[in-house]
Amino acid sequence: MKMIQAMALALAIGGAATAHAEQPLQRTDLVSSDIDVPGHEAVQVRVDFAPGVLAPNHSHPGEEIAYVLEGTLEYKLDGREPVTLQAGQSLFIPSGVVHSAKNVGSGKASELATYIVRKDEALVVPAK
């Protein structure tokens, strides 16, 4: 099931979940573990964006905390003004909120995404 979720995420955000540096959008799964909240799990991934690359509108079945590791990322959350974050800054994204992220800097950008999500659901839900 985890592999299917990883493949769905890779397709949903326009990249492949591989370790090739040439990928415009690369996702690396770091941690996935049950937590004390029944029916939920913690998931942590690193997402690397080439310059100008967009992770298109999507949502998650739980909360996300996005922490920018390097570069400059612009986040657009439905119902809010866009926010631009630099390395060392973070953003809380509520459950089910449609959002996108784009590398608006001149070099590579990376984020550490930590999710508290419902188990056995797709981690990424493409927006319609």
Side-chain angles (χ1 to χ4, degrees), residues 4-66:
I4 292 170
Q5 288 177 342
M7 291 171 59
L9 173 65
L11 292 173
I13 59 177
T18 65
H20 298 180
E22 315 80 57
Q23 294 297 324
L25 189 64
Q26 179 182 328
R27 176 178 169 232
T28 305
D29 293 335
L30 302 172
V31 175
S32 178
S33 181
D34 289 345
I35 60 174
D36 288 343
V37 177
H40 289 73
E41 65 183 339
V43 177
Q44 194 169 61
V45 300
R46 178 185 174 119
V47 184
D48 297 300
F49 298 74
V53 170
L54 170 72
N57 281 340
H58 62 281
S59 64
H60 307 285
E63 290 79 16
E64 174 184 2
I65 299 170

Side-chain angles (χ1 to χ4, degrees), residues 45-116:
V45 300
R46 178 185 174 119
V47 184
D48 297 300
F49 298 74
V53 170
L54 170 72
N57 281 340
H58 62 281
S59 64
H60 307 285
E63 290 79 16
E64 174 184 2
I65 299 170
Y67 176 80
V68 179
L69 296 168
E70 67 178 296
T72 306
L73 291 168
E74 179 184 71
Y75 295 88
K76 293 184 180 179
L77 282 66
D78 274 1
R80 298 186 188 176
E81 292 295 318
V83 61
T84 302
L85 302 181
Q86 305 283 334
Q89 296 180 305
S90 58
L91 175 69
F92 178 81
I93 303 170
S95 179
V97 171
V98 173
H99 60 282
S100 65
K102 182 176 182 180
N103 181 351
V104 294
S106 59
K108 179 178 130 182
S110 301
E111 75 169 12
L112 180 65
T114 303
Y115 307 93
I116 303 297

